[in-house]
């Protein structure tokens, strides 16, 4: 049945219900604004449905199996059997619980939910097309609009995702029949996280990377333990190669990759997983209708209140400048909603933490030593290795370290880098410290529970001050 064109009005229209959009909608609802959230696919966006949450669920599940099967040193002998479909069911249960929660929270905060694909239809107007059998479309007139349409996996030319031979991360996370072998194109964080899962499940993984290192953008001493452990898991790295083409070969495929001199190498494998990054989704929004254009990076330029060049249109999350991270999207969503409600909110990117959930984990926040120098600071640096941490040794994971970077003059914390167990959790202490303007003395003087991994943060701060207890001071 064709419903026809219905017209409604709203104070705030939010397009996209990922961690940017649904958070913006909930915050706007809390602030008493009339808000309509439009989503074409699934509440929770990439993060909850196809990204952060399902990937971390599988990382945890494979870690349980891997730990159990590799604990002879602790006197534990086990040979865990993994049922992949059951593991995927469990992962889907986690996703369903969270996405159902998003819908409930939106409704509890008075958010009107509209299912469909939105595009601009003139200034102050969105057209929402309801997919499916002739369910028509509707027009939503808005006073303010928040664009939160996120990102999609970049496709390498010649490697179009077919869900069978060539997979993107979403397809990989739903794969019930594990292949025996997989070529992974790209050693960025998604490639490295999911390669680790595959390797722990017994898949023969080969990674092709165009650059000559894993996790480009992270300091070498953070990335090195991750690469080393990946190699111990059997992952085979090939650097300086760009995936060029593939062709079917019996039940599998042959991937051809090329180096910068044009020399080619062939890889026989069952399936290819392409993880070369993500691009903002703006092409389906009919931005011309409001006179907006993406910048050279394909994003919408925004000011420190998340406002685009069009006054009543805001952009947050992966379509806005900055790192493509869920928590960054959510913070921008809160700020956009507060600005619309007339609150004195503004974005401040002083301390955006980032984590890579590899084995070991990497987490960073703020400035590295060289970034601090570039910004004119005289950095004081302190470092504490996990092999000097009692707690790390009791968990059997003592690779890595905590490093703090502070301004030598004032002692103010500027940044921290961690590689090792629970790095993704430990980094929160430094994000808070930087946000609060804490000094090395503050962290060093804080009594930390013993024995915990968090003591390493205190020791790193003490090391920068020259009086660490459990490591040698310089
Ligand atoms: C495998 C993987 C692992 C990741 N792991 C992490 C992690 O551990 N930590 C982290 O911080 N980040 C992680 N990310 C990145 C994170 O998922 C994104 O940064 C985050 O989801 C961005 O949020 P967003 O709200 O901007 O967009 P999205 O989450 O992409 O949501 C956008 C939503 O908009 C909808 N939409 C798009 N166009 C329209 C339209 N025209 N009309 C209506 N709806 C529309 C989409 O359907 C989607 O639901 C991961 C990503 C992937 C792929």
């Amino acid at each position: 049945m064709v419903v026809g064109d219905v017209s409604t009005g709203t104070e705030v229209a939010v397009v996209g219900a990922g961690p940017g959009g649904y958070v913006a909608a909930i915050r706007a609802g809390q602030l008493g604004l009339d808000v309509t959230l439009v989503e074409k696919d699934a509440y929770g966006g990439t993060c909850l449905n196809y990204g952060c949450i399902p990937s971390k669920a599988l990382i945890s599940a494979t870690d349980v199996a891997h730990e159990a099967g590799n604990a002879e040193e602790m006197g534990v002998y086990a040979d865990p059997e993994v049922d992949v479909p059951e593991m995927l069911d469990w992962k889907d249960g986690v996703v369903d619980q969270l996405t159902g929660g998003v819908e409930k929270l939106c409704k509890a905060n008075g958010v009107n939910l509209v299912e469909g694909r939105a595009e601009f239809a003139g200034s102050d107007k969105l057209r929402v097309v309801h997919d499916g059998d002739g369910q028509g479309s509707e027009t939503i007139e808005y006073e303010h609009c928040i664009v939160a349409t996120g990102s999609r996996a970049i496709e390498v030319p010649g490697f179009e995702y077919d869900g069978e031979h060539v997979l993107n991360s979403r397809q990989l996370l739903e794969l019930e029949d594990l292949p025996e072998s997989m070529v992974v194109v790209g050693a960025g964080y998604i490639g490295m996280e999911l390669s680790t899962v595959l390797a722990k499940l017994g898949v023969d993984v080969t990674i092709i990377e165009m650059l000559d290192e894993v996790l480009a953008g992270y300091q070498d001493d953070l990335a090195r333990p991750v690469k080393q452990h990946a190699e111990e898991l059997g992952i085979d790295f090939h650097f300086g190669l760009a995936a060029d083409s593939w062709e079917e070969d019996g039940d599998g495929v042959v991937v051809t990759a090329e180096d910068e001199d044009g020399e080619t190498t062939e890889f026989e494998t069952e399936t290819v997983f392409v993880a070369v990054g993500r691009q903002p989704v703006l092409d389906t929004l009919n931005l011309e209708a409001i006179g907006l254009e993406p910048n050279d990076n394909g994003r919408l330029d925004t000011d420190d209140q998340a406002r685009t060049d069009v006054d009543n249109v805001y952009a947050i999350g992966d379509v806005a400048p900055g790192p493509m991270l869920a928590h960054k999207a959510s913070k921008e969503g809160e700020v956009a909603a507060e600005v619309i409600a007339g609150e004195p909110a503004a974005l401040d990117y002083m301390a955006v933490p980032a984590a890579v959930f590899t084995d070991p984990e990497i987490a960073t926040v703020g400035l590295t030593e060289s970034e601090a120098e570039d910004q004119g600071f005289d950095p004081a640096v302190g470092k504490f290795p996990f092999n000097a941490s009692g707690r790390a040794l009791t968990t059997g994971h003592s690779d890595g370290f905590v490093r703090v970077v502070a301004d030598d003059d004032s002692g103010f914390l500027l940044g921290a880098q961690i590689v090792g167990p629970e790095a993704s959790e430990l980094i929160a202490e430094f994000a808070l410290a930087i946000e609060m303007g804490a000094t090395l003395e503050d962290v060093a003087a804080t009594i930390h529970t013993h024995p915990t991994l968090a003591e390493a943060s205190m020791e790193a701060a003490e090391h920068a001050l020259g009086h660490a207890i459990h490591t040698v001071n310089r």
Side-chain angles (χ1 to χ4, degrees), residues 16 19-20 39-40 45-47 51-52 56 118 148-150 189 317-318 324-326:
E39 170 57 53
K40 70 172 172 57
T46 305
C47 176
C52 327
K56 268 82 250 183
T149 45
Y189 88 90
D318 288 0
M324 288 188 173
L325 293 169

Side-chain angles (χ1 to χ4, degrees), residues 81-111:
E81 190 184 327
V82 174
D83 184 315
V84 174
E86 262 182 53
M87 191 184 266
L88 295 184
D89 278 353
W90 171 75
K91 176 247 328 171
D92 291 342
V94 174
V95 168
D96 289 347
Q97 190 175 340
L98 288 169
T99 52
V102 167
E103 211 174 325
K104 280 195 202 112
L105 284 170
C106 285
K107 287 181 179 156
N109 284 285
V111 176

Side-chain angles (χ1 to χ4, degrees), residues 203-225:
V203 178
D204 190 358
V205 179
T206 301
I207 300 188
I208 302 174
E209 166 58 56
M210 213 157 70
L211 304 173
D212 56 8
E213 59 193 352
V214 303
L215 299 169
Y218 285 91
Q219 289 166 290
D220 191 45
D221 59 353
L222 298 174
R224 206 177 314 120

Side-chain angles (χ1 to χ4, degrees), residues 302-307 316 321-323 325 327-336 338-339 344-353 365-367 375 413-414 431-437:
T302 48
D303 65 13
D304 68 352
Q305 293 193 311
R307 197 181 280 106
I316 60 172
L325 293 169
H327 43 280
K328 175 246 182 204
S330 297
K331 180 47 72 186
E332 289 174 343
E334 283 183 52
V335 168
E338 288 168 6
V339 169
L347 293 165
D348 175 356
Y349 294 108
M350 190 166 163
V352 184
V365 66
L367 305 180
Q375 293 196 17
L413 284 177
L414 300 172
L432 178 68
I434 294 172
E435 192 63 40
M436 292 189 70

Side-chain angles (χ1 to χ4, degrees), residues 14-22 38-53 55-56 116-119 148-152 169-170 173 189-190 193-194 278 281 284-285 316-319 323-330 353 355 357:
V14 182
V15 185
Y22 83 74
V38 189
E39 170 57 53
K40 70 172 172 57
D41 179 16
Y43 296 111
T46 305
C47 176
L48 269 61
N49 294 283
Y50 319 114
C52 327
I53 297 300
S55 62
K56 268 82 250 183
R117 186 175 43 79
E119 61 178 32
T149 45
S151 60
R152 64 168 81 94
S169 58
R170 175 177 172 172
L173 288 165
Y189 88 90
I190 293 177
E193 284 183 3
L194 294 179
R278 298 185 58 82
V281 173
T284 55
L285 270 178
I316 60 172
D318 288 0
V319 295
M324 288 188 173
L325 293 169
H327 43 280
K328 175 246 182 204
S330 297
F357 294 77

